[in-house]
Amino acid sequence: MDRTHERPFDHHVAIFARPADPSALRTLLQEKLGLNSVDAGIAVARVPGPLPQHFTRGQAEHIADEVRQLGVRAAAIADVEIPDLRHAETSHHVRCMPQGLELCNVQGAVDRVWPWEQLQLLSLGRVAVERTHRYLADENSPRSQLATAPSSVTPSQSLYGQDTWTIWRDPLRVLHFDSEHLNYEFLGDELESSGEANYRKLIAALLSYSPHVVQPAATRAYLQDGSDHHAFDDAEELRAYTLNEYLLARHLGLVRLP
């Protein structure tokens, strides 16, 4: 007797790379998931990353095995092991301290401290910033890099900033921040007038306390030479990339499970 309907549909199938023959994967998804050609094509276009459908553990493992037979790495992953980047916490004021990353409130007081040993992955990339003007540091507040004065940049000009995603364990949670909206006061006398320079110092400080953290290729490219290998079309592309890199690191045993 088939009792599949009584089992929890609490797994996803993560596909970690684009197949050499996308049509083979599209056909597989049509046959195994019952998708029409359009929906299967949309799913393939979103690879790498987790398929949106929920499965039982057995179903997910079976489909992942079928995908691997196409020469593409894939795995069944429980929902509870997939971080929710869309509902990540965003902070505009952090401090890198020996005891951990301090998250500060709008008054500058420390709300929480996240221990460095709980940091699993650091993913960053250059993304376009959508706004009509960029902000500069307040001349009357040399210790702050938060926005106060608009410059003369026009809407037609392309603006870019660094987006950063950090994934932590115990519990599994995500912290997001970006270079354009950060307070760098913890740098003290090392604070510079350049936001990019301050951002690099923040990332360097973060890594100095957590050398164990997984660094995706885009992160390494930024740290090594600042090349466009860490550039993304938009924040959504970087978010999808980050999720796939975390799930791959989890599959390879590079991060500890929550």
Side-chain angles (χ1 to χ4, degrees):
M1 179 178 179
D2 183 6
R3 303 178 66 87
T4 299
H5 66 282
E6 297 182 5
R7 301 168 190 160
F9 290 79
D10 57 1
H11 278 67
H12 276 81
V13 175
I15 302 176
F16 300 117
R18 291 192 60 80
D21 182 7
S23 64
L25 178 58
R26 184 171 62 250
T27 299
L28 185 151
L29 296 181
Q30 288 180 258
E31 294 177 350
K32 298 298 180 180
L33 305 184
L35 300 179
N36 60 44
S37 59
V38 173
D39 290 340
I42 292 173
V44 172
R46 293 177 177 174
V47 169
L51 296 177
Q53 292 83 6
H54 287 80
F55 306 98
T56 66
R57 178 177 178 178
Q59 289 173 334
E61 290 176 344
H62 175 69
I63 294 171
D65 183 63
E66 293 279 348
V67 173
R68 288 192 292 270
Q69 292 183 38
L70 298 178
V72 181
R73 191 190 299 270
I77 300 181
D79 293 354
V80 295
E81 297 173 5
I82 301 177
D84 184 0
L85 274 70
R86 291 190 175 279
H87 295 90
E89 180 171 357
T90 296
S91 180
H92 302 300
H93 192 171
V94 297
R95 298 184 184 126
C96 295
M97 296 298 175
Q99 65 272 23
L101 185 69
E102 296 182 348
L103 277 63
C104 303
N105 58 29
V106 293
Q107 287 78 33
V110 178
D111 273 343
R112 283 148 295 149
V113 179
W114 291 4
W116 294 118
E117 63 269 18
Q118 295 180 355
L119 180 57
Q120 300 272 274
L121 178 140
L122 168 67
S123 176
L124 58 84
R126 190 188 72 169
V127 298
V129 177
E130 297 181 358
R131 60 175 185 270
T132 57
H133 54 262
R134 75 182 299 172
Y135 289 99
L136 306 175
D138 184 354
E139 294 179 355
N140 297 319
S141 303
R143 290 299 177 216
S144 174
Q145 290 295 311
L146 287 177
T148 57
S151 72
S152 59
V153 177
T154 65
S156 62
Q157 291 177 287
S158 296
L159 300 173
Y160 297 92
Q162 303 295 340
D163 240 12
T164 308
W165 297 88
T166 59
I167 301 180
W168 306 67
R169 62 174 176 82
D170 302 332
L172 181 62
R173 59 202 187 282
V174 183
L175 178 68
H176 164 263
F177 51 84
D178 68 82
S179 62
E180 299 296 301
H181 301 91
L182 271 176
N183 188 317
Y184 297 101
E185 58 80 23
F186 87 96
L187 292 174
D189 293 337
E190 295 183 7
L191 187 70
E192 299 187 29
S193 59
S194 166
E196 174 66 21
N198 291 326
Y199 176 77
R200 280 190 170 274
K201 288 184 177 182
L202 168 64
I203 297 301
L206 192 154
L207 290 173
S208 71
Y209 287 118
S210 53
H212 63 279
V213 71
V214 173
Q215 300 175 37
T219 300
R220 297 195 301 272
Y222 172 78
L223 295 172
Q224 292 168 5
D225 56 20
S227 70
D228 283 344
H229 290 296
H230 81 293
F232 295 82
D233 289 341
D234 52 39
E236 173 58 32
E237 184 183 18
L238 174 57
R239 183 164 50 225
Y241 171 82
T242 299
L243 178 58
N244 185 63
E245 289 295 309
Y246 174 82
L247 295 179
L248 178 58
R250 171 218 171 276
H251 177 63
L252 296 175
L254 301 179
V255 300
R256 289 177 54 184
L257 298 183

